[in-house]
Amino acid sequence: MEKPRQGFWGLWNISFGFFGIQVGFALQNANMSRVFQTLGASKDDLPALWVAAPLTGLIVQPIIGHLSDRTWNRLGRRRPYFLTGAVLAAIALFLMPLAPAIAAPLVFAAAMLWVLDASLNISMEPFRAFVGDMLRTDQHAAGYAVQTAFIGAGAVLGSIFPWLLEHMGVANVAPEGALPDTVRYAFWFGAFAILAAVVWTVVTTREYSPEEQAAFTGHVEADDAGEITARLAAKNPLGGIAWIVAGIIVALAVDMLGLQKEVLLLGALLAIYGVLEIVAIRMARQGTKPNMLSSIVGDFSGMPPVMKRLALVQFFSWSALFIMWINTTPVVTQYVYGSTDTASAAYNEGANWVSVLFTVYNGVAAIAALVLLPWLSRKFGQVRTHSICLTLGALGFLGFFFLRDAKALIVCEIGIGISWASILAMPYAILASNLPQAKLGIFMGLFNIFIVVPQLLVATVMGSIMLAFFPGEPVWTMLFAAAAWAIAALAMTRVSAAIPARNA
């Protein structure tokens, strides 16, 4: 017995909620540096303020993945998490523009970013597994392509909305310390968009029950709790101690090398993981019943080979993306529009142009997902397609390093957009076809670790590198981004050996 083949509207309904989620992410990515700078943050403060995004993803996604694999109620398996995250994200988007009226506006904005990003992650993680749940294997690539198209479309709308408002006569300049009306109204629109889109998916889809999933696969997938316990019990606790030592070394290096204090967060995370691993091993050896901690640690240590190889690709892919989201506004406003004064017309014109540039790469991604990626995949296979697209994106970042014409940067965004489409589709299509159905949630959540860890490194270490070698010159971050995507393209060539030839 096979899952029913989904037609156009089935694919549409399954992924439409991601449209709203991406409106929220786009507003965050294109405007939070502007918000922080407007509220008094310097360029050097931005990485630390942005640390909320990767940290919340690191914590939230594995937990939500674990829980959603084990959930079944009236709303289903994944849909309860879509809806909860959407409601919380809408609240954060509504409150964010009120920051200037709060006693500590910068602190309030940073806190709302934490809430917003955590909420978006609560909604986003189950959507990745949802495609795998709802579609048969031969539709995985199509499903993630449609999801990517909605991501691109939502990001286009979220990115360009302030610019559209300005051209409709809404004020794009405000007194020092205040957010322009274009930004405030855009965030409020985003609150409505995410809630409406996610509710659409919740209302128009019906998830398959555990019994139906078992019938589709022809068997009930065995509970691997015993295997996880045995794997943990066999692990050497010295591995956990090594993580702790690494964390201590990183913390000591902050003072010894004069690194920024945000690097302490990286050291703390390394040490905490080491402690959690030791605790999980101890529980396994004592025969403690498997729980969330042991499942997450055990599955992390027992990732399938294809996931391990894709993890390296994701690490470098998302390093470049986070560099772009943090630094595009400072780079464009300083080098193309010649202003670092957040209250000036030139700065705000440049910041709005960044919204247009982000709109371009997301629009290109939406088109590429439906037109270019399927053609490239048929011709070269999924692995080589992803490598080609990452190379095009690396060339796009090189353009930012050399070009000083605003319109010329659109060409750069085309390459970045093609790469972005592939990042959102190819790795997930490969994984969904090669992971156990019953554990899609947890494995997709763990895969996210290799998205957020590089972002944490960028948010903590990049600031120290820039201060030490390129103070006041954010354009050099684009060279780092180009190098990261070039490395990811090379790393992708190692993935073929870990997956069946029919999926490569």
Side-chain angles (χ1 to χ4, degrees):
M1 181 179 177
E2 273 193 302
K3 293 176 185 175
R5 187 173 185 83
Q6 296 286 345
F8 172 80
W9 287 111
L11 294 172
W12 175 289
N13 294 335
I14 287 169
S15 291
F16 186 70
F18 228 123
F19 171 80
I21 293 172
Q22 201 59 35
V23 169
F25 268 121
L27 287 168
Q28 169 185 298
N29 294 338
N31 293 283
M32 284 312 300
S33 288
R34 179 183 188 178
V35 170
F36 288 145
Q37 286 186 287
T38 299
L39 297 178
S42 69
K43 289 192 294 290
D44 295 331
D45 292 330
L46 294 180
L49 291 167
W50 270 89
V51 78
L55 186 58
T56 52
L58 182 66
I59 296 170
V60 169
Q61 291 222 22
I63 293 174
I64 296 300
H66 171 86
L67 293 175
S68 69
D69 280 342
R70 290 158 174 77
T71 295
W72 183 256
N73 58 33
R74 291 176 59 188
L75 269 180
R77 188 184 193 186
R78 316 292 183 188
R79 291 183 301 173
Y81 299 94
F82 303 164
L83 193 56
T84 300
V87 171
L88 294 174
I91 292 171
L93 284 166
F94 179 79
L95 294 177
M96 183 77 74
L98 305 180
I102 305 298
L106 190 56
V107 173
F108 181 81
M112 285 300 99
L113 177 60
W114 279 77
V115 174
L116 174 60
D117 207 85
S119 305
L120 292 172
N121 275 287
I122 290 171
S123 282
M124 181 181 72
E125 198 285 330
F127 258 107
R128 295 295 191 194
F130 190 53
V131 173
D133 290 345
M134 300 296 293
L135 300 179
R136 40 200 280 175
T137 301
D138 63 356
Q139 283 197 293
H140 283 162
Y144 285 107
V146 171
Q147 189 176 88
T148 298
F150 275 125
I151 290 172
V156 165
L157 185 58
S159 297
I160 203 172
F161 207 72
W163 183 86
L164 288 175
L165 289 174
E166 180 190 11
H167 283 73
M168 292 168 61
V170 178
N172 188 49
V173 179
E176 186 173 354
L179 295 175
D181 287 346
T182 51
V183 174
R184 293 193 302 119
Y185 296 160
F187 273 82
W188 291 337
F189 167 77
F192 167 78
I194 185 172
L195 198 56
V198 170
V199 167
W200 177 275
T201 289
V202 169
V203 170
T204 60
T205 58
R206 184 190 71 83
E207 295 191 67
Y208 299 121
S209 69
E211 294 75 21
E212 288 174 307
Q213 293 285 12
F216 293 142
T217 59
H219 66 279
V220 177
E221 295 198 28
D223 185 355
D224 65 350
E227 179 186 340
I228 290 175
T229 299
R231 188 189 305 136
L232 284 173
K235 284 179 68 68
N236 193 326
L238 289 177
I241 294 174
W243 284 105
I244 296 172
V245 172
I248 293 172
I249 291 173
V250 169
L252 292 175
V254 172
D255 285 331
M256 294 173 60
L257 301 179
L259 303 177
Q260 288 187 291
K261 297 301 181 183
E262 293 84 6
V263 181
L264 289 171
L265 176 62
L266 179 61
L269 289 172
L270 293 174
I272 289 170
Y273 178 77
V275 170
L276 293 177
E277 185 174 280
I278 292 171
V279 170
I281 292 171
R282 182 177 177 82
M283 289 192 302
R285 291 182 175 181
Q286 291 176 342
T288 303
K289 184 178 179 181
N291 52 36
M292 182 187 298
L293 174 61
S294 61
S295 293
I296 291 175
V297 174
D299 283 327
F300 183 72
S301 63
M303 290 185 298
V306 64
M307 187 169 164
K308 291 179 181 178
R309 297 195 180 194
L310 279 171
L312 183 63
V313 178
Q314 288 294 87
F315 179 90
F316 286 104
S317 298
W318 285 83
S319 295
L321 288 167
F322 204 60
I323 288 172
M324 176 182 73
W325 292 329
I326 293 177
N327 294 287
T328 301
T329 295
V331 167
V332 172
T333 54
Q334 179 174 333
Y335 293 91
V336 179
Y337 285 82
S339 177
T340 58
D341 179 6
T342 60
S344 69
Y347 175 91
N348 282 283
E349 184 181 355
N352 268 14
W353 186 247
V354 171
S355 294
V356 175
L357 293 176
F358 279 21
T359 299
V360 171
Y361 91 76
N362 283 297
V364 168
I367 297 170
L370 296 178
V371 179
L372 182 61
L373 293 187
W375 178 79
L376 287 175
S377 295
R378 288 192 299 270
K379 189 173 180 63
F380 299 109
Q382 293 176 343
V383 171
R384 290 181 64 191
T385 291
H386 196 36
S387 186
I388 292 168
C389 292
L390 287 167
T391 302
L392 292 175
L395 293 174
F397 281 125
L398 276 179
F400 270 85
F401 185 76
F402 291 108
L403 298 175
R404 295 295 176 266
D405 179 80
K407 293 183 179 178
L409 295 179
I410 292 176
V411 178
C412 302
E413 294 294 346
I414 293 173
I416 292 171
I418 293 171
S419 186
W420 176 230
S422 190
I423 288 169
L424 292 173
M426 290 296 113
Y428 297 101
I430 294 170
L431 285 178
S433 299
N434 292 280
L435 295 177
Q437 174 67 49
K439 305 197 74 173
L440 276 183
I442 182 60
F443 278 131
M444 289 294 187
L446 289 172
F447 192 56
N448 186 63
I449 289 174
F450 303 101
I451 293 175
V452 298
V453 167
Q455 294 181 49
L456 282 171
L457 286 172
V458 170
T460 56
V461 177
M462 180 62 74
S464 296
I465 293 174
M466 294 303 296
L467 278 178
F469 298 103
F470 312 105
E473 297 291 339
V475 72
W476 285 90
T477 61
M478 296 299 163
L479 197 59
F480 283 101
W485 269 1
I487 294 171
L490 289 174
M492 195 64 196
T493 61
R494 297 180 62 251
V495 175
S496 294
I499 60 177
R502 62 182 175 81
N503 292 331

